[in-house]
Amino acid sequence: MRTNVWKEFLGTLGAAPTAVVQVITLQSDGRTSIVEFPNGSQTVVQGQGVASGNYAFIRNGEMIGPAPAVTPTTIDV
Amino acid sequence: MTLYRKPAPYRKPQTYRGEEVVLPVVPPTFNGGVRCPYTDATDHNAATVSPWHQGATHQAAVLSPWDRLAQIQSGLQSAWQQATPYDKAIAARWDRLQAQMRAHSLAWRQATPHDHASALPWGDFVRQLANAINAPWNIPAQHNAATTMAWGALAKRSMQTSALWRALAARGAHIAIPWGRGHNYNNGYTAPFTNPPDDGSPLVFPDLPVYIMIPTLTAVVISGGASIEPLSVTINGDVDSWCWSLEMQMPPETFHLVNPGTNPSPVPIRVTANGYPWSFQVESYDDNRKFGARGYTVRGRSLSAALSEDWAPTRTLLETTDYNAAQLADHEVASTGWTMIWDAVDWLVPGGTFTYADLAPIAAIQQVAASIGATLETEPDSLNIHAKPRYPIPPWQWDSATPYAIVPAVIPTGASGTWRGGNNPDGIYVYPQNSTSGAFVRVTGTGGTKPMKMIVDPLAVTNPAQAARGIQELASKGRAKQEVRILPLFPAPASPGLIPLRALLEVTDEDGTTWRGQVMATSITATRSGGALSVRQTLTIERQFR
């Protein structure tokens, strides 16, 4: 008898957050890209499916597809 | 010269012709030896008769309580001639053993409510009385102990001499006496007040010499109202669960009313503890058997369990029309008799954004609510489901908010705590999947320099929704301690009543520390000890350190 199905469901997904990044450079190895998070930090992810300068979704260090270009609004709460 | 004589031929002595008297096989007679004791017959008879007379006394002792067993055992170790009467007596005693055991058991059962009454309700009473009169003797520990001892002694004396007090104690009643000078404190005690202290309560009570609250617990089948006669009940709820859950001990006589095995569908029941009702449907049970007793433990959930995947069909949806989030939730409960009450941020969800596969109605609503960090809560006794923020007030604003209630140190009957940890992040990016509107949500007054992982949610497509989600994410990672406080649950309008989930409380500990926290879980327990009933609420309160 379960009372918190949604939490169980989320638990089955594991820690796999999806992030939106901007592609900075497609590396010469033909497999990886340098991407930048909204806070300015950069990392290397697998995949070159999105052109440089555009936005992409990443998950678990892998580029999984193009994302809309988002300009974040700062909200104080 | 000695002549040789041929020995006589051997004749077997066992061979008889019938008329011989064969002397050698006659056993030696000890008539002389036997006669000799008979000369002392009188003395022996006296010795023999004497224990038989004592036998009656021993028998009487056997019929009396067990504590004379030692005497009987010493009697058994004396003359063996007494074996027969003791056998009878022992047989009689074993026949009576069951009755005597019942008598002993009865005595122990009677002992429990008295102990319970003198320990728990009086403890509550002392605290409440001390609180009501702002008692000066409550502050020093030694005075407190002295007061408790005095009241404990009073309870015992009252129970011995007064049928009313005994009856009240046996029912776990709570007694309150209006403010006034205590008769027992006329000597050497100076009342610090000339008028009753003002506790600020808007409630007006009738002017009566004594107020008595007797706890109540009922459970009935909603259809027909048949009483289930519950023995004890535990009701649990928390901010992450969309329904209340029930565990109830009940006698075998009423089990057929709710038996999931014989009723075609889960039986709706209503459990009422001290006037607060909850509705459940019974979904499972355990039966407990032991020698001489049998009982059942049934389990259930709020009636909204009918919307879960256990009882409702799942479906797959792609919503192609624009709807507000609250409307999307409404659609899931359409034609079910249930009503969604959206107590959280509402926003427009563009067509083509809300989609799911193989979800029951409750899970689909949870998906909408979770996109802004809200959770669901079923009203205890009505067909309403609320979507509420997990933290209605951000923890960093608790100090300036108005608490739901103030809990003085004298109210809780038990306390414990567990450190949870956390790193107090102050910023988070919340992005949609198919929209260009994103947000960086940060705690006011900070630069958002301790950000947490970005959140991407397909339904969080507007800034208000993103802000709401960001608040909940930041709040959930605060440095926190889970405090547990056990409070009595009094029927309205007495206080403390049922404290709702998510309520912001201001708690004062015994060391004078005052802190604020949010109720994250509550457990209502109604237990019987003998005839006395005790109804309590155990609150899990999240206290954050920022």
Side-chain angles (χ1 to χ4, degrees), chain A residues 45-72:
Chain A
V45 298
Q46 294 287 326
Q48 293 186 338
V50 177
S52 176
N54 289 348
Y55 289 82
F57 291 117
I58 63 169
R59 183 170 59 206
N60 288 340
E62 187 174 353
M63 190 179 295
I64 60 174
V70 178
T71 303

Side-chain angles (χ1 to χ4, degrees), chain B residues 162-395:
Chain B
S162 164
L164 171 62
W165 284 102
R166 188 161 56 242
L168 292 174
R171 287 165 175 77
H174 297 266
I175 300 111
I177 301 173
W179 189 92
R181 183 189 292 269
H183 295 292
N184 292 335
Y185 296 95
N186 280 337
N187 296 329
Y189 175 75
T190 302
F193 307 104
T194 55
N195 293 309
D198 182 11
D199 63 355
S201 170
L203 300 175
V204 178
F205 293 94
D207 186 13
L208 298 173
V210 174
Y211 303 88
I212 297 172
M213 191 280 289
I214 298 178
T216 59
L217 172 66
T218 62
V220 298
V221 177
I222 291 179
S223 175
S227 176
I228 299 173
E229 306 292 342
L231 302 175
S232 65
V233 162
T234 301
I235 298 169
N236 290 312
D238 64 78
V239 296
D240 293 316
S241 295
W242 46 269
C243 66
W244 297 85
S245 59
L246 165 76
E247 185 172 303
M248 176 172 67
Q249 278 73 44
M250 60 185 299
E253 291 78 14
T254 58
F255 177 66
H256 68 280
L257 295 171
V258 298
N259 187 351
T262 56
N263 289 283
S265 59
V267 177
I269 64 172
R270 176 174 292 116
V271 178
T272 305
N274 270 0
Y276 292 96
W278 282 265
S279 295
F280 297 99
Q281 63 177 30
V282 177
E283 297 181 290
S284 66
Y285 73 95
D286 295 332
D287 55 343
N288 321 303
R289 304 179 197 183
K290 59 183 179 181
F291 182 73
R294 182 172 188 173
Y296 288 87
T297 301
V298 300
R299 297 184 178 83
R301 293 181 293 179
S302 296
L303 299 180
S304 54
L307 303 174
S308 71
E309 64 178 1
D310 294 324
W311 305 103
T314 60
R315 68 169 181 164
T316 297
L317 175 73
L318 170 59
E319 183 55 74
T320 57
T321 308
D322 294 358
Y323 284 111
N324 281 350
Q327 289 176 306
L328 294 175
D330 282 340
H331 294 168
E332 298 298 327
V333 297
S335 305
T336 63
W338 286 85
T339 301
M340 272 302 306
I341 300 175
W342 198 264
D343 292 331
V345 169
D346 197 10
W347 74 102
L348 184 68
V349 179
T353 304
F354 182 49
T355 180
Y356 58 82
D358 296 326
L359 290 185
I362 279 288
I365 298 169
Q366 281 184 306
Q367 183 172 326
V368 180
S371 66
I372 55 167
T375 55
L376 305 183
E377 180 181 334
T378 302
E379 283 189 16
D381 192 34
S382 56
L383 303 183
N384 295 328
I385 300 173
H386 292 257
K388 297 179 179 180
R390 198 167 184 271
Y391 296 88
I393 303 170

Side-chain angles (χ1 to χ4, degrees), chain B residues 456-472:
Chain B
V456 179
D457 193 296
L459 293 177
V461 294
T462 66
N463 284 157
Q466 293 153 0
R469 176 65 177 271
I471 290 171
Q472 302 307 315

